[in-house]
Amino acid sequence: MFPREFTRFLLFAGLGVLVLFTVPGCERPRPKKPLTIGFAQTGAESAWRTANTVSMKSEAEKRGIDLKFSDGQGKQENQIRAVRSFITQGVDAIVIAPVVETGWDPVLREARRARIPVILTDRSIQTSDESLFSCFIGSDFYEEGRMAADWLAKHTGGKGRIVELQGTVGSAPANERRKAFAEGIAKYPGLKILDAQSGDFRRANGKEVMESLLKKHGRTIDIVYAHNDDMALGAIQAIEEAGQKPGKDIVIVSIDAIKEAIQAVVDGKINCTVECNPLFGPKVYDTAAKLLAGEKVPKKLFNKDELFDHTNAATVVASRQY
Ligand code: AHR
């Protein structure tokens, strides 16, 4: 009796295994292949950039994404080389934070030929064919420059001589923040740009440029408009070393709203900083997943940015992540 039952058991068990492997939908769940994404980052020029890199890397790790990260060290040719290597490696999607606006079409065409979707983050590009990239995710740099100009007009009574510390030459944030600010203050004939120079979004360069502007213009400078907080913080050092009080003798208006700058607002050394949120890792990977699933995504996704001055800086500084 026992041996026959045992044989029957073996027969049913064998049949069960057969069904499991042959009937569709009954397969043993196979581990999903992790998504591979190539990210051509601009560089490591500022605290903002460091926060952006951390957001992209940590979110990839959380989601089990195989992130191939390349630091372009501020050079477009390095970023183009990285994109070509991502194409050769056959990544699922490519993310680029383009250092400058122009010169991307040829490599984007190569990505398209390889059927790899490209997401632009942080900085956009100038192209004659917008279909070369799937979408853009980042801040509205024009709006940031406009907010800075409006704040300044309101808080100076529309009067003052300005020096402008510009970002990387040819980059989208430098171009748009310059344009929006110039257009914003044009309505106030008492606000004049005395001088403008690039500090490449770097603190050391911001200090150096400010030193030379202070030498050139002496005590005639009333306002510093810096395209980012790192350059503003460098300029503050130069102003203090020249024996003047930043935030009082010279009004400082800046962009990014990193924790250190918001603290400087609380300390009265920066008068206003317009936010440019760098924490968009989650948005980038959500969008990549949608694209790869064949879903439609908006062509341009803008972060919502705020402005911090003496009225609200103290309430946010402790909880600021970057
Ligand atoms: O592209 C964003 C800009 O680049 C940030 O304002 C600046 O800090 C960074 O280096």
Side-chain angles (χ1 to χ4, degrees):
M1 197 65 181
F2 173 70
R4 200 183 312 149
E5 276 178 358
F6 187 64
T7 318
R8 217 183 278 157
F9 165 75
L10 279 181
L11 205 72
F12 279 121
L15 258 173
V17 170
L18 208 70
V19 165
L20 198 67
F21 283 100
T22 52
V23 176
C26 281
E27 296 95 350
R28 191 159 8 132
R30 266 186 229 141
K32 264 202 203 149
K33 199 176 140 258
L35 218 59
T36 304
I37 294 184
F39 176 34
Q41 176 62 293
T42 297
E45 71 282 2
S46 63
W48 185 99
R49 185 68 52 198
T50 306
N52 178 245
T53 295
V54 168
S55 169
M56 292 291 289
K57 284 187 174 173
S58 62
E59 192 61 28
E61 208 181 314
K62 234 189 256 170
R63 297 177 185 223
I65 292 172
D66 176 11
L67 183 71
K68 309 220 173 287
F69 178 85
S70 164
D71 177 342
Q73 298 179 348
K75 293 200 170 79
Q76 184 181 35
E77 61 263 33
N78 291 344
Q79 290 193 292
I80 291 177
R81 208 174 304 124
V83 172
R84 291 206 167 112
S85 132
F86 298 150
I87 296 171
T88 312
Q89 292 172 67
V91 298
D92 297 307
I94 293 174
V95 180
I96 313 173
V99 63
V100 289
E101 282 193 287
T102 54
W104 292 99
D105 287 15
V107 76
L108 292 182
R109 269 190 216 107
E110 290 170 38
R112 177 150 77 186
R113 272 197 294 276
R115 295 174 181 276
I116 302 176
V118 173
I119 298 175
L120 302 179
T121 63
D122 166 31
R123 301 180 180 183
S124 195
I125 59 166
Q126 284 173 25
T127 173
S128 53
D129 181 1
E130 293 237 322
S131 75
L132 286 174
F133 64 92
S134 300
C135 65
F136 165 80
I137 300 169
S139 284
D140 184 341
F141 298 136
Y142 187 90
E143 178 61 10
E144 292 167 354
R146 191 198 61 75
M147 281 161 86
D150 284 358
W151 186 94
L152 199 61
K154 193 169 160 203
H155 290 83
T156 57
K159 273 197 200 117
R161 288 155 301 211
I162 305 163
V163 294
E164 180 171 349
L165 306 184
Q166 300 180 337
T168 303
V169 176
S171 68
N175 290 343
E176 288 173 40
R177 289 170 186 169
R178 180 194 50 72
K179 188 167 183 272
F181 186 79
E183 289 175 1
I185 63 163
K187 295 169 250 164
Y188 306 91
L191 282 172
K192 291 214 161 29
I193 298 180
L194 266 187
D195 218 326
Q197 262 185 58
S198 171
D200 201 24
F201 286 127
R202 294 169 191 276
R203 194 171 301 204
N205 297 30
K207 179 169 189 270
E208 218 172 275
V209 168
M210 193 65 210
E211 281 165 356
S212 82
L213 290 171
L214 283 165
K215 263 192 207 126
K216 188 169 163 194
H217 299 286
R219 299 219 164 203
T220 61
I221 301 169
D222 303 311
I223 297 156
V224 169
Y225 167 48
H227 286 193
N228 83 341
D229 287 340
D230 275 81
M231 292 189 296
L233 291 161
I236 284 173
Q237 284 177 30
I239 293 167
E240 285 177 334
E241 283 170 22
Q244 288 189 273
K245 285 197 174 65
K248 293 186 181 65
D249 299 331
I250 298 181
V251 171
I252 316 278
V253 177
S254 170
I255 296 178
D256 273 359
I258 58 170
K259 193 181 180 92
E260 207 181 334
I262 297 183
Q263 184 59 53
V265 174
V266 174
D267 299 340
K269 294 186 178 190
I270 288 183
N271 301 80
C272 143
T273 178
V274 179
E275 184 178 38
C276 178
N277 194 325
L279 309 178
F280 40 77
K283 232 189 237 179
V284 169
Y285 300 129
D286 282 350
T287 306
K290 281 188 188 158
L291 280 172
L292 293 168
E295 285 175 43
K296 269 203 146 201
V297 301
K299 191 75 184 179
K300 289 187 181 166
L301 267 171
F302 289 111
N303 302 326
K304 177 128 187 48
D305 293 321
E306 286 179 61
L307 181 149
F308 300 102
D309 63 6
H310 69 284
T311 61
N312 58 355
T315 58
V316 296
V317 70
S319 60
R320 199 72 177 165
Q321 283 177 52
Y322 58 93

